[in-house]
Amino acid sequence: MRARDAAGQPLDAVVVGGGPAGSSTAIDLARRGRSVLLCDAARFPRDKICGEYLPPAARAHFERLGVWAAIERLGPRRHIGMAVITPGGIEVLGRYAPEGTCGLALRRLDLDAALLQEAALAGARVEEESRLVDLVQSRGATELTFRSRGGTRAWRVRCRALIGADGRNSIVARRLGLRRRARHRRWAIMGHFRRVAMPADHGEMIVTGYGYCGLNPLAGDLTNVCVVFDPGGGPGPMPGRGSMERFFLERIDADPRTRRRLSSALPDGPLRSIGPMACRTASAVSDGALLVGDAAGFFDPFTGEGIAMALDGARLVADRLDRALQHGEVSARALAPYDGMRRQAFDARLRLDRILQALLRRPRLTDWVARRLNRDPSLADLIARVTGDTADARDVLGAGFAARLLLAGRGGGRSGESRPAARCRT
């Protein structure tokens, strides 16, 4: 059914973007009894460039929304943790817990389509192949103009609140004047491969001379392989200047660890590129509008915070907007607490991410830290839990963690300490 204003009254909310942030927001608001329209320019299922990693905390989010059973039916691979392999070849495996909920690895092709379907089941009206082309704000409502795929049909709808969940290149953020230039300029090329030679129970981040390569085992024999690089940080053409496939394979072949992992690998589908990846906004709120997910800002995928922040942000948006709608006030002032909620939830995590990025640019220091973490594996596990969104980043940023890192291996001889095998709860 074509979504329309009911009896001339504006909808409570229109969500632009059907990724994890947008669909989760639509599900949450619809379950609270709000009239919601969810629009996306694509036809689902559709692939999306992504590391395809979901943190352990994702299960709690899905259970709260009542969609965990649908996600579990997709058969995600469960990960016990994430390993980092340094320039010196030192491997550090951080585990989420000896016994506990694991991280999940799941193709966005499947995840996004399932969440979109759950939004419809929750009561949201879903419109695919509908691209936002214009918005006009007036007192009490926003009028949105959408155009169908191919440009053959245009239609309009009014809403009390607009939610931009339309990714890094958010048209909502740009039309509202909220987008700001980001300094972080890295690009990524991602592909799916079979017969990658690596463990199946955890992902790997291999630090390389050009940046890093992420390897994420998915269900079956499939692995997500993503190279992340700074176009100004080394030789070679950028994607689009020559063959993307050649550029990708040259990066894989340039490092002995990635070359070994993919020596017998077979591609499964095309490569995709994206960049610059980082984006930022002056604010995530405006009169009658909020931004969530990558539309509200994104830094770098090394710690896998993308989907975690999308799911956390969806909950925050729904909480703030539902309260604002109850009071009949959706001005920027009424929605402003959402900005503060985001800072409280994400600032420490992003500060740790920036510290780790600075560390990766110093190979000798990276090797030194890796040795220390291997001497006290509980420190590596704590970092893994932070990146998995089950521990507070401030536990790593505090002086106590630094002191333990400096003292690792002294007095207790913890180097090489055995750890119990990690298992996942189903």
Side-chain angles (χ1 to χ4, degrees), residues 66-79:
V67 302
W68 170 245
I71 301 302
E72 195 169 29
R73 283 195 296 270
L74 297 175
R77 182 176 288 282
R78 288 168 164 79
H79 285 191

Side-chain angles (χ1 to χ4, degrees), residues 100-177:
T101 301
C102 285
L104 304 173
L106 184 63
R107 287 192 65 170
R108 288 287 299 273
L109 183 79
D110 299 320
L111 172 66
D112 291 12
L115 288 176
L116 198 79
Q117 182 178 30
E118 289 297 316
L121 292 173
R125 297 178 179 178
V126 175
E127 294 287 345
E128 300 175 57
E129 297 184 306
S130 297
R131 182 181 300 278
L132 177 65
V133 294
D134 195 19
L135 65 89
V136 178
Q137 293 182 305
S138 60
R139 187 173 182 85
T142 298
E143 183 174 274
L144 307 170
T145 301
F146 291 89
R147 191 173 298 279
S148 64
R149 188 172 185 176
T152 58
R153 182 180 61 220
W155 54 283
R156 294 181 178 86
V157 67
R158 293 188 306 146
C159 62
R160 299 168 68 189
L162 168 64
I163 300 167
D166 47 340
R168 297 168 39 262
N169 296 317
S170 169
I171 186 174
V172 175
R174 287 186 276 118
R175 289 298 179 93
L176 296 176

